[in-house]
Amino acid sequence: MSVESASTLGNATDRMALLSIKEQITSDPHANLRYLYMGRNQLTGSIPSGVENLANLILLAMESNFLTGTIPFNFGERSKLQALNLNNNRLIGEIPTSIGNITLLNELHLSNNSLWGRIPESLGKCRHHSALDLSWNNINGTIPKQVLGISSLSQTLFLAHNLLTRPLPLEVGSLINLGGLDVSGNKFSSEIPGMLGACVLLEYLHMKDDNFRGTITSPLSILRNIQQLDFSSNELSGQVSKYFGNSPFLQYLILSFNDLEGEVPKEGVSKNASVISFLGNKKLCGGISELQQPNCPLNASEEGNDSFFIEVMVPTISVAFCSTIILTIIVCYWKTNSNIEKPPSSS
C-alpha cells in the first residue's frame, strides 16, 4: 500500500471514529467534560441531541463541518456554556430563542449556514457577550434593540450578508466598547446614524453594499481608533471629510460607488492608492495622481473672491482712475488760466 493511500485510509478511519464519537455524545456521568472541540473534521449528520446532557460543558466547537438539520432547542439548558461555534456548516431553521437562557455565553458563532427568521430578542439576556457572529445566513427583520444594548460586546458584532431591513437602530450608539461592526450586504435604507460616533473604540466598520444614503456624518470624526472603514456601494452624497486624511490609525478606506463630490484628501491613508478606493464617484476630483481623478476647479471661496474683484473692484478702480485724470486736467487748466489772466504788477 502506498503512503498516499495509507494516509487516505487513515483520514477516513479518523473521520469514521469521530462520527462514532459524535453519535455517542449522550452523557457525561462524571461531569468532567469542559471543552469539546470537533471542528474541521468533515463531520456529517445533525448536531447530537445528547449535548444537553453535558452539564458542565464550557465550550462546544463544531465549526467547518457538514452538519445539517436545526440547532437543538435544548441548547438553552446548558447554563455553563460560554462559547458556541457552529460556523461554516449546513444548518437550517431559526436561531432558538432558548439560547438567550445561556446567560454566561460569551461568544456565539453561527455564520455561513442557512439559518432564517429573526434575531431573537432573548439574546439580549446574554450580558457577558463579547462576540456575536450571525453573518452569511438568511436572517431577516431588524436588529433587536435588546441585542444592541449588550454593553459587554467588546470584540465583534458581525451581521453581514443577511436580509436585514429598516433603518439601522439609533441604539447602535450604545455599543461603546465594540471593536468591530459589520452590517454589509443587507437591505438597510437610512442615513448612517450619527450615534455611531459614540462607539469610540471601533477599529473595524464595514457598511458596504447596503442602501445607506445622506452624508457621511461628522460625528464619525470622533472615531479616532478606526483602522478599517468601508462604505462602498451605497447612496452616500456630500463631500469626503478631511478627517479621513487626518485619522491617525486609518489603514483601509473604501468609499467607492457612491455619489460623493468635492476634493479627495491627500493626507494620511489617502497617500496610499493600494488601500483606498473612490471609484464610481463621478463628482470627486483631486487626490494623489495614482487615483487618476480630474483636477479640481477653483473652490467656491476663490471663485467668490474672483467674482467680487471683477464685478466690484475693477469698476471702482477704473472710476477712481478716470476721476483722478479728469481732476488733474481741471486743476492744470485752472492754473494755466489763472496765470494768463493775472495783471502785471505796477512798478
Side-chain angles (χ1 to χ4, degrees):
M1 180 181 294
S2 67
V3 173
E4 182 178 355
S5 59
S7 175
T8 302
L9 178 60
N11 291 338
T13 303
D14 290 344
R15 285 197 295 273
M16 291 299 295
L18 285 168
L19 283 170
S20 177
I21 293 172
K22 180 177 81 73
E23 296 304 324
Q24 295 179 46
I25 299 175
T26 57
S27 64
D28 180 20
H30 302 291
N32 292 325
L33 188 59
R34 300 287 191 277
Y35 304 93
L36 181 57
Y37 295 92
M38 302 187 74
R40 305 178 186 276
N41 282 296
Q42 302 184 37
L43 298 176
T44 58
S46 60
I47 298 173
S49 58
V51 169
E52 73 270 16
N53 298 320
L54 306 178
N56 289 313
L57 194 64
I58 292 176
L59 179 145
L60 176 60
M62 304 182 76
E63 78 281 2
S64 301
N65 284 295
F66 300 103
L67 299 176
T68 56
T70 61
I71 301 173
F73 182 82
N74 49 30
F75 263 75
E77 299 176 7
R78 301 276 59 78
S79 60
K80 294 184 180 180
L81 194 64
Q82 297 179 21
L84 175 61
N85 190 345
L86 299 174
N87 284 349
N88 302 308
N89 279 288
R90 299 174 180 177
L91 300 171
I92 61 172
E94 297 186 357
I95 301 171
T97 58
S98 59
I99 290 182
N101 297 328
I102 313 175
T103 55
L104 295 179
L105 195 62
N106 185 268
E107 296 187 21
L108 178 61
H109 302 277
L110 302 177
S111 69
N112 284 281
N113 283 285
S114 297
L115 302 172
W116 61 69
R118 296 175 177 268
I119 301 173
E121 295 179 358
S122 60
L123 292 182
K125 295 189 294 184
C126 302
R127 309 309 299 179
H128 298 279
H129 247 131
S130 64
L132 176 60
D133 187 357
L134 307 179
S135 55
W136 292 98
N137 281 287
N138 297 309
I139 299 170
N140 57 34
T142 189
I143 307 174
K145 297 177 181 179
Q146 293 85 345
V147 173
L148 296 177
I150 304 176
S151 60
S152 61
L153 275 171
S154 58
Q155 296 183 39
T156 52
L157 176 59
F158 289 168
L159 303 173
H161 301 287
N162 280 289
L163 303 173
L164 298 171
T165 57
R166 302 179 185 177
L168 187 63
L170 298 178
E171 285 77 9
V172 70
S174 301
L175 301 173
I176 58 175
N177 297 309
L178 191 65
L181 175 65
D182 192 346
V183 295
S184 303
N186 283 285
K187 297 183 178 181
F188 292 111
S189 57
S190 66
E191 296 187 357
I192 297 174
M195 294 300 295
L196 272 173
C199 306
V200 294
L201 298 182
L202 270 180
E203 298 178 355
Y204 176 105
L205 178 58
H206 282 207
M207 303 176 72
K208 64 179 181 179
D209 296 320
D210 277 301
N211 296 311
F212 289 110
R213 59 181 183 273
T215 60
I216 301 176
T217 54
S218 57
L220 294 183
S221 62
I222 303 174
L223 303 179
R224 307 304 294 175
N225 293 306
I226 200 73
Q227 298 179 19
Q228 295 189 25
L229 192 60
D230 191 344
F231 287 159
S232 60
S233 299
N234 281 287
E235 300 173 10
L236 299 173
S237 57
Q239 297 192 348
V240 180
S241 172
K242 292 183 179 180
Y243 150 71
F244 295 127
N246 299 324
S247 182
F249 302 111
L250 190 60
Q251 303 171 5
Y252 177 89
L253 176 62
I254 309 296
L255 300 176
S256 52
F257 300 104
N258 283 285
D259 193 29
L260 301 172
E261 61 185 62
E263 186 174 3
V264 175
K266 297 180 181 179
E267 299 79 21
V269 69
S270 300
K271 296 179 180 178
N272 187 350
S274 66
V275 295
I276 60 175
S277 177
F278 299 98
L279 292 173
N281 291 279
K282 297 180 181 180
K283 300 177 184 177
L284 286 179
C285 61
I288 58 176
S289 59
E290 290 90 335
L291 297 178
Q292 299 182 347
Q293 298 279 0
N295 293 328
C296 291
L298 293 175
N299 61 41
S301 61
E302 290 174 333
E303 290 177 349
N305 289 338
D306 289 347
S307 177
F308 176 79
F309 183 79
I310 293 172
E311 295 178 6
V312 178
M313 294 303 296
V314 169
T316 301
I317 293 172
S318 299
V319 170
F321 180 73
C322 292
S323 299
T324 302
I325 292 176
I326 292 171
L327 183 61
T328 302
I329 293 173
I330 292 174
V331 170
C332 291
Y333 178 79
W334 180 80
K335 286 185 176 180
T336 301
N337 287 342
S338 296
N339 291 333
I340 293 173
E341 296 177 357
K342 185 177 181 180
S345 58
S346 59
S347 54

